Structure formats: structure tokens, C-alpha cells
């Protein structure tokens, strides 16, 4: 991919963190659960296995990052024009209530920290890291932008670190945000707005 396109995707990713987006159950429930499931499939075994203490330490770091990322999430209720109905010859809009959230700067900082931590831990554990750091960064940004890519299996040696950090930070992000914002809780629990 050329440098211009990669830079444009990076700018779009950064822009996304500061714009309001529709809240979905998938982001708050399915992704953390799926990530922890994927962790169980990619955790190294045999001589490459990692101690329980190491897993707990990385989990704790992931939880702290998740709480940090969620600490300044903004939420708002928007009435979006869904369609129109004609009453007595006049068009009247029909609105649908939508909950939107914006993660902001703290989410971006936490995301960068997770990315760096994945490679730092991989380096400390002498994992074989293939490809360049820039290509990996671009791949991670694409996974963040396009949800279907984030659910795809990861084959690299650091995949288990990725899934562990995504799962624990996502769980902490979800718990903190659900407790703090009633509108998001209503979306996740499928309650009426």
C-alpha cells in the first residue's frame, strides 16, 4: 500500500475517535467475549507457554488501559429522521432514537499503548515478530476501522497477547461505560430509550 493511502487511513482512524458513532451491542459485549475465546485458542503451550502470573499481570494492565480509555467517553441521544408519513397532505418526519458515543483522546492513547505493549511483551518473551512495525500498525488500524477484520483469526506469534489485551481492555471499557452511562446500558440490555 502506498504511503499516501496509509496516511489517509491513519487520519481517518484518528478522526473516528473524536466523532460520535452509533452504539451497538456488538462492541460492548461480543468483541470482549470473542477476544477472550480467541485467547484460549492461541495461548502458547509446551516450552513456549507463559506462567499464570504473566497472564494475570498482562490482564491487569489490559484492565487498567480499558478503564483509562473509558474514563472520558461522551454519550448522547440523537433523534434521527427515519422516514416521512403524509398526514392531511403534509409530510411529517418519523424519528428514531439513536445513542451515539465518542471515545476521544484517552481511547486513542490507550489503543497506542496496547499496540506498543503487544510488541514490547513479544520482544521480552522472544516471540518471532514478522513484518515491519509500520505494516503491523496499519493492519491494526484497519482492524479497528472494519469490525469484520478484527474478528478474523490472527496467526502471528503475538496473537495471544493481542487477544488478551483486547479482551481485558474491552471488558473493562464495557463495564465502566455501562455503569457510567444509562443510555449505553439501555442499548446493551435492549431496553426502550
Amino acid at each position: 500500500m502506498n504511503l499516501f493511502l496509509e496516511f489517509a487511513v491513519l487520519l481517518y482512524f484518528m478522526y473516528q475517535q473524536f466523532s460520535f458513532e452509533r452504539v451497538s451491542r456488538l462492541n460492548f459485549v461480543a468483541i470482549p467475549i470473542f477476544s477472550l475465546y480467541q485467547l484460549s485458542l492461541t495461548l502458547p503451550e509446551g516450552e513456549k507457554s507463559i506462567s499464570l502470573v504473566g497472564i494475570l499481570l498482562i490482564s491487569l494492565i489490559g484492565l487498567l488501559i480499558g478503564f483509562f480509555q473509558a474514563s472520558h467517553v461522551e454519550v448522547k441521544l440523537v433523534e434521527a429522521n427515519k422516514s416521512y408519513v403524509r398526514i392531511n397532505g403534509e409530510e411529517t418526519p418519523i424519528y428514531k432514537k439513536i445513542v451515539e458515543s465518542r471515545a476521544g483522546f484517552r481511547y486513542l492513547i490507550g489503543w497506542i499503548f496496547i499496540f506498543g505493549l503487544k510488541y514490547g511483551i513479544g520482544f521480552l518473551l522472544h516471540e518471532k515478530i514478522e513484518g515491519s512495525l509500520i505494516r503491523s500498525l496499519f493492519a491494526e488500524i484497519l482492524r479497528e476501522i472494519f469490525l469484520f477484520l478484527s474478528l478474523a483469526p490472527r496467526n502471528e506469534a503475538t496473537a495471544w497477547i493481542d487477544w488478551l489485551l483486547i479482551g481485558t481492555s474491552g471488558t473493562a471499557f464495557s463495564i465502566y461505560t455501562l455503569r457510567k452511562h444509562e443510555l449505553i446500558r439501555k442499548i446493551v440490555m435492549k431496553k426502550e430509550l
Side-chain angles (χ1 to χ4, degrees), residues 9-82:
V9 170
L10 175 65
L11 288 178
Y12 177 73
F13 169 66
M14 291 172 61
Y15 166 78
Q16 242 186 348
Q17 305 317 310
F18 297 98
S19 62
F20 281 94
E21 291 184 357
R22 188 175 185 165
V23 172
S24 74
R25 294 182 77 210
L26 186 65
N27 291 337
F28 285 90
V29 178
I31 290 179
I33 291 171
F34 180 78
S35 298
L36 294 173
Y37 167 73
Q38 284 295 97
L39 168 67
S40 70
L41 299 177
T42 58
L43 204 57
E45 298 174 359
E47 65 181 50
K48 280 279 199 181
S49 66
I50 185 164
S51 69
L52 182 60
V53 173
I55 291 172
L56 291 175
L57 183 62
I58 296 169
S59 297
L60 178 64
I61 293 169
L63 290 170
L64 292 173
I65 291 171
F67 285 125
F68 174 77
Q69 287 177 310
S71 63
H72 280 81
V73 170
E74 296 176 50
V75 177
K76 69 179 181 177
L77 182 65
V78 177
E79 290 184 348
N81 188 355
K82 186 177 178 183

Side-chain angles (χ1 to χ4, degrees), residues 93-117:
I94 298 175
Y95 294 99
K96 180 179 181 178
K97 293 179 181 178
I98 297 173
V99 176
E100 294 181 340
S101 69
R102 172 172 53 192
F105 187 68
R106 286 197 176 207
Y107 183 86
L108 187 60
I109 294 298
W111 188 90
I112 291 167
F113 195 69
I114 287 173
F115 179 78
L117 194 59

